[in-house]
Amino acid sequence: MAKGLQGFSWTMLLLFCAMQELGSWAMHTAVQGPGLGEPGDPALLAGGRVKRGWVWNQFFVVEEYTGTEPLYVGKIHSDSDEGDGSIKYTISGEGAGTIFLIDEITGDIHATERLDREQKTFYTLRAQARDRQTDQLLEPESEFIIKVQDINDSEPRFLEGPYIGSVAELSPIGTSVMQVMASDADDPTYGSSARVVYSVLEGEQHFTVDSKTGVIRTAVADLDRETQDRYEVVIRATDMAGQLGGLSGSTTVTIVVTDVNDNPPRFPQKMYQFSIVETAPVGTAIGRVKAEDSDVGENTDMTYQVKDEEGVEMFKVTTDSNTQEAVITVQKPLDYESKKVHTVVVEALNKFVDPRFVDLGTFRDQTIVRVSVLDVDEPPEFRPPSNLMEVQEDAHVGSVVGVVTALDPDTANHPVRYAIDRSTDAERIFDIDAKTGAIVTGKVLDRETAGWHNITVLAMEADNHSQVSRASLRIRILDVNDNPPELATPYEASVCEDAKPGQLIQTISVVDRDEPQSGHRFYFTLAPEATNNHHFSLLDIQDNTAAVHTQRVGFNRQEQDVYLLPILVVDSGPPALSSTGTLTIRVCGCDSNGAIQSCNSTAYVVSATLSPGALIALLVCVLILVVLVLLILTLKRHHKSHLTSEDDEDMRDNVIKYNDEGGGEQDTEAYDMSALRSLYDFSEIKAGDGGGGPGEGGPGRNPASELHALPQWVQSPDLDFSVFRDYICRKVEQADEDLSVPPYDSFQTYAFEGSESPVPSLSSINTWSSGSEQDFSYLGGWGPRFRQLAALYAGRRADEDSEES
């Protein structure tokens, strides 16, 4: 191919050279106007300079010249050139002096470098004709173009690769797959160098390509994805319109065959076998089967169903959407003793069927699934499963209520034993025979106490008590007439003193705990002991009620204010039972409108204005008063017992606190000093004070002497503090011995008045010794309220001075 290309290039080169020679010959004609003289005519020079014309044409140069000598491009020539060498030719512009050189004398232009049209298609230059001596322009500068002549040196190229297309399987012949395009860098306007045609190099058995457009199409109609899902097709593009000597390029096109639903599902096996125990609960999965489908994607989606009637009744088939498997589950309880093997026909069919391929055959398949039921040791079964029994409530203890029956469903048919779940019959009202299953009464029944009993009966194998069945049994207690009718309430009626005969006093109704199936029917009559009654009459209304009326004119409550009327009530049985109730009738005083005013000779009915709520409120107030009185008495008793407590009583319970201010001189009875004196014996202190005058201790003693009797916290040599010392030591020992009990001692913090207060402190802390030098004379200036206090301390000061003297 390369040699053919080189020969073609040289042929074209010779052709172009011949054309240029002809052009040069034509260019050698001078441009002259009519009547113009020769170039050296003086008349022309006198009249003005004559413009001379260039003798030349457009130049062409062949690209990719590989010769050793410079390539001749063309010649420029001025009509003023006489061939004496006086004119110098020069060029300027693109490539002048480098790519293109000119002979200054002849004007021949040569190309010194190898040109490439695909890089630059033409060069623009300017030609000058100068006087060799003066270097003056003899002609105006003229522009010319050198075009690079194209040769077929670029092969077609597929620039958009790699190419990947797709086509559905079983597509008809001529189905368009995709389009490929190749580009050629050669000049499309010159020759056929850039004219490309397409052809298939590999894969022509299945695909074709349009030679002009590059569109790839199917060549066969039986493309099968399941046989081959992709093809590698090589497409070639050739320039020169495919003629001899043209260049070519190729690309590989990957064509993927997409799937259509043209394959039905198929079970790999025609029979599957599974086994399951007979005790498997409903919904238990037995196994899975799967039909294979050669298609892919949604074309493999399928559904399964049971086709035979037996299988539909006993088993259920669902489709696992993730694995496309058929899941077979139990739909009804299995029984080994009834049927040991079940045969199920399972059918698989495509969910999405393409109607174009229906003629290929049915898109479904069937298989047989054999399910073997395994025998297990089952608990007994109750037969028949009746759960209701009835018994009369007057049945004797040991009477048979009914019989339950249970059988072992296994082929071994083990004997069955019965029992009652005592958590449902804790009172043991019923018993059961362990062998026969007969249920008998264990206690006396009473429908009025419990009309229904719900018990659970157990049936188990005699030699294996772990196999247990349970049955709920409802026992209904049937009613017998064993309760007499009774008055609905203890009736009390009232009758006015001026009542008239036949006046309705009271309507009587009764209750009966029995519930006869035909309904209640009661009969009313006066008891035999009331046969001599001439005051009232009883009328049976025939609707299980009776009415009491008066029989006489007027009543006198002074003579008799209460009448007791015995009434006999009989039910309809059987057997008929009766009871006697008493109606209490009070004779009352009434006003002219018949409103009752009072019902006895000494008391009168509270007027209607006082409501029951008011009566209740009154009783509550009385109750509160009684509670308050009892509380006050209890507090006084507690206070008295506190004052008479023993001397060794716990000191922490004897703290007396006063939070009120004293009343001064006039308040001498503000508190009871005996509460303080009861704790300590101040006889020695009183003796030391020199008290005991005639008026001391009497009711007429003055306030000053009473105040002097208060304990003064002055240290005396006669005081004995051993009692306190022993008490404290005893408490300390108790606290040390028993660490779990906190000590009774406590730490007290006492606030004191600051030193900046203008009023001195009254504390006696600094007056422990009798020789205290405190002066209490200032107390006399505090006013009348503290006069008695000042007199007290002033007297005490005088006594101390006398003792010292």
Side-chain angles (χ1 to χ4, degrees), residues 166 281 313 339 392 468 483 560 598 693 699 744 757:
S166 62
E313 181 180 358
K339 192 168 187 179
Q392 296 284 343
V468 180
N483 292 280
Q560 185 175 353
S598 62
Y744 289 147
S757 175

Side-chain angles (χ1 to χ4, degrees), residues 367-434:
T367 188
I368 297 175
V369 178
R370 290 172 55 88
V371 180
S372 299
V373 182
L374 304 179
D375 186 28
V376 295
D377 190 7
E378 298 176 275
E381 295 180 354
F382 286 93
R383 300 177 183 177
S386 175
N387 61 349
L388 176 62
M389 293 184 179
E390 295 179 344
V391 61
Q392 296 284 343
E393 66 174 321
D394 59 349
H396 299 290
V397 175
S399 300
V400 177
V401 178
V403 178
V404 294
T405 302
L407 299 176
D408 185 8
D410 300 322
T411 54
N413 194 17
H414 296 97
V416 177
R417 295 294 180 263
Y418 303 92
I420 294 178
D421 187 352
R422 288 306 174 185
S423 63
T424 61
D425 185 25
E427 298 180 2
R428 295 183 175 271
I429 299 176
F430 300 97
D431 293 322
I432 189 170
D433 189 289

Side-chain angles (χ1 to χ4, degrees), residues 32-64:
Q32 297 180 354
L36 295 177
E38 292 298 325
D41 193 343
L44 293 175
L45 293 175
R49 187 175 182 276
V50 178
K51 180 179 180 181
R52 302 186 182 274
W54 287 99
V55 181
W56 69 325
N57 201 347
Q58 186 175 9
F59 299 131
F60 294 90
V61 61
V62 179
E63 66 170 337
E64 303 294 343

Side-chain angles (χ1 to χ4, degrees), residues 582-604:
T582 301
L583 171 64
T584 302
I585 304 175
R586 298 184 182 276
V587 180
C588 302
C590 303
D591 58 12
S592 58
N593 296 324
I596 296 175
Q597 299 295 320
S598 62
C599 290
N600 53 53
S601 58
T602 59
Y604 295 91

Side-chain angles (χ1 to χ4, degrees), residues 234-262:
V234 179
I235 304 298
R236 180 175 62 185
T238 307
D239 58 11
M240 297 296 294
Q243 298 177 2
L244 184 63
L247 304 179
S248 63
S250 64
T251 186
T252 300
V253 179
T254 302
I255 300 177
V256 178
V257 180
T258 59
D259 184 58
V260 296
N261 193 7
D262 59 336

Side-chain angles (χ1 to χ4, degrees), residues 63 115-121 148-150 185-188:
E63 66 170 337
L115 302 180
D116 187 0
R117 191 202 67 83
E118 285 72 31
Q119 294 182 358
K120 192 171 180 64
T121 58
V148 181
Q149 190 69 43
D150 181 48
D186 293 327
D187 188 1

